[in-house]
Amino acid sequence: GIDYYTAVITPTREGEIDIMIDAGVAKDYAGNLNTAMAAPFTFFYDTTPPTISSTSLQLNIENDPSDDTDNDDDEIVIAFTDAHGTSVYNSDAGSGDGDLEVSDFEFSISGGTATFVDEPPVATSASVDGFNVTLVLPTNDGVRNGRELITISPIVSVTEDEPPVTQYSIFDLAGNGVLADQNNNTVYLNDETAPLLVNAADEESAI
């Protein structure tokens, strides 16, 4: 039969890697030397997960600011950055296994006067365009005053197995999982609270 031999090659940098084995650098048990490879073996080496580079709020201009229930289709746009690849996915199999889903993200809100209706809050829809992910804001309640800080984090969990296994929800093409701990993943809601006019008698009235 044919014997197969294995060599472990660990790249020292990320990016496109070419492996070429020259003639006479390895031999079998009988002392027969190898022949040279006909062509290099090329692959892409990537061990760095994407990170969030920016988060922004996009308002639906058709919403009525005076209606505290009419903000449910405002959008949050999350931009990922990655040195390699072209998009983010919800599987470590990359592009062959589906787009991101609303359950891949975790929302929290602090400060201000408006709150999320559901607990835990979940975006109502998600769409992906390359490294840009658009999430329709979870349903919120109350009139915003612009001090509501929204934090959006990729979902990451750890199993109770021994040893524990970290389970990611968002991946790049190489299968690197996006960490939950991110920078640039917060955004303030817009201010929809009417200003107050205080007269000389210290009586307040909404303008």
Side-chain angles (χ1 to χ4, degrees):
I2 299 176
D3 292 325
Y4 295 92
Y5 303 90
T6 301
V8 177
I9 299 174
T10 303
T12 57
R13 62 173 177 83
E14 295 190 20
E16 188 175 277
I17 305 296
D18 291 327
I19 297 176
M20 185 68 186
I21 300 178
D22 296 328
V25 298
K27 59 184 177 181
D28 61 16
Y29 292 116
N32 300 305
L33 295 174
N34 71 289
T35 57
M37 293 177 61
F41 172 69
T42 301
F43 67 97
F44 210 92
Y45 185 64
D46 177 11
T47 60
T48 302
T51 57
I52 295 176
S53 59
S54 67
T55 303
S56 59
L57 177 68
Q58 289 190 350
L59 302 177
N60 183 346
I61 60 175
E62 295 181 358
N63 285 339
D64 180 2
S66 65
D67 184 354
D68 63 5
T69 65
D70 192 28
N71 297 306
D72 302 336
D73 49 0
D74 289 338
E75 297 175 337
I76 288 180
V77 179
I78 303 169
F80 286 88
T81 184
D82 189 38
H84 314 294
T86 57
S87 187
V88 285
Y89 312 92
N90 73 343
S91 167
D92 59 7
S95 60
D97 213 5
D99 293 329
L100 294 186
E101 302 172 351
V102 295
S103 58
D104 296 325
F105 294 90
E106 179 180 51
F107 281 80
S108 65
I109 186 171
S110 61
T113 52
T115 59
F116 287 135
V117 172
D118 299 318
E119 184 58 44
V122 178
T124 56
S125 71
S127 61
V128 180
D129 181 12
F131 284 121
N132 294 322
V133 180
T134 301
L135 302 171
V136 175
L137 194 67
T139 304
N140 55 255
D141 183 37
V143 179
R144 308 171 183 177
N145 67 1
R147 295 177 181 153
E148 297 86 357
L149 182 65
I150 307 298
T151 302
I152 308 98
S153 303
I155 293 289
V156 177
S157 61
V158 179
T159 69
E160 296 181 356
D161 301 330
E162 288 297 336
V165 177
T166 301
Q167 296 179 324
Y168 300 95
S169 298
I170 305 172
F171 305 85
D172 62 10
L173 186 60
N176 299 305
V178 178
L179 303 177
D181 187 13
Q182 295 285 326
N183 297 315
N184 308 313
N185 62 328
T186 59
V187 64
Y188 282 96
L189 294 182
N190 59 310
D191 182 5
E192 295 181 345
T193 300
L196 294 175
L197 173 64
V198 180
N199 60 27
D202 291 332
E203 295 178 353
E204 296 183 350
S205 59
I207 298 177

